[in-house]
């Protein structure tokens, strides 16, 4: 059980915080727009009861994970942004299955984000860095570190790594 994006903003008006206190809601570049739980129950398949896995995962990772479990090869050119977390799911590995992830919002003026472990760099649609958060110490994104002098090197490296994806079509002039 999971969701494709965060909670609906309309729930706030009804007195329910569907985003669990995370900043913003469904479709936003902030954690309330993308961070959702995933619940998996498969006792006969070897998933340990009560186990948790808190490392970076995207719903796109289900594609390769399910193919891996089924023993099916993923055709070349398919699921390029998917990484299997079968070993983590079955308790065969405690390390993260991914350390980077790109996120984007929808629409013509959508924002972009590049995750590197616990660090998240948010960029304008034109590719300019706008916000930086350490999600381990600040999961609710209250302390933007973009102007912090100690973070300049990290921002530059993360931005360069994001641009190395060659995100054609994602970076465009701001309307």
């Amino acid at each position: 059980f999971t969701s494709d994006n965060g909670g609906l903003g309309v729930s706030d008006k009804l007195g329910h915080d569907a985003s669990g206190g995370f900043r913003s809601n469904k479709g936003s570049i902030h954690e309330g727009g993308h961070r959702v739980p995933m619940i998996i129950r498969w006792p006969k398949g070897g998933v340990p009861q009560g186990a948790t896995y808190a490392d970076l995962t995207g719903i796109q990772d289900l594609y390769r994970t399910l193919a891996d479990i089924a023993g099916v090869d993923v055709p070349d050119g398919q699921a390029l942004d998917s990484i299997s977390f079968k070993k983590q799911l079955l308790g065969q590995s405690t390390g993260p299955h991914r350390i980077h992830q790109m996120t984007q919002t929808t629409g013509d003026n959508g924002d972009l984000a590049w995750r590197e472990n616990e660090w998240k760099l948010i960029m304008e649609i034109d590719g300019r860095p706008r916000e930086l958060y350490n999600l381990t110490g600040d999961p609710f994104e209250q302390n933007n570190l973009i102007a912090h002098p100690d973070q300049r090197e990290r921002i530059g490296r993360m931005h360069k790594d994001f641009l190395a994806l060659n995100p054609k079509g994602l970076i465009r002039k701001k309307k």
Side-chain angles (χ1 to χ4, degrees), residues 46 73 91 116 132:
D73 289 331
E116 179 183 277
L132 176 71

Side-chain angles (χ1 to χ4, degrees), residues 161-175:
D161 289 349
F162 171 75
L163 293 175
L165 288 174
N166 196 18
K168 292 179 182 173
L170 295 178
I171 295 177
R172 50 195 186 275
K173 289 183 181 179
K174 201 170 183 177
K175 290 185 178 185

Side-chain angles (χ1 to χ4, degrees), residues 40 42 59-76 78-80 82-87 89-90:
I40 297 174
W42 188 31
I59 198 168
Q60 72 273 19
D61 294 335
L62 282 173
Y63 188 100
R64 284 203 185 264
T65 302
L66 295 173
D68 196 6
I69 289 169
V72 176
D73 289 331
V74 174
D76 289 343
Q78 295 288 314
L80 299 176
S82 183
I83 301 172
S84 176
F85 60 97
K86 174 186 169 186
K87 289 181 180 178
L89 185 64
L90 299 179

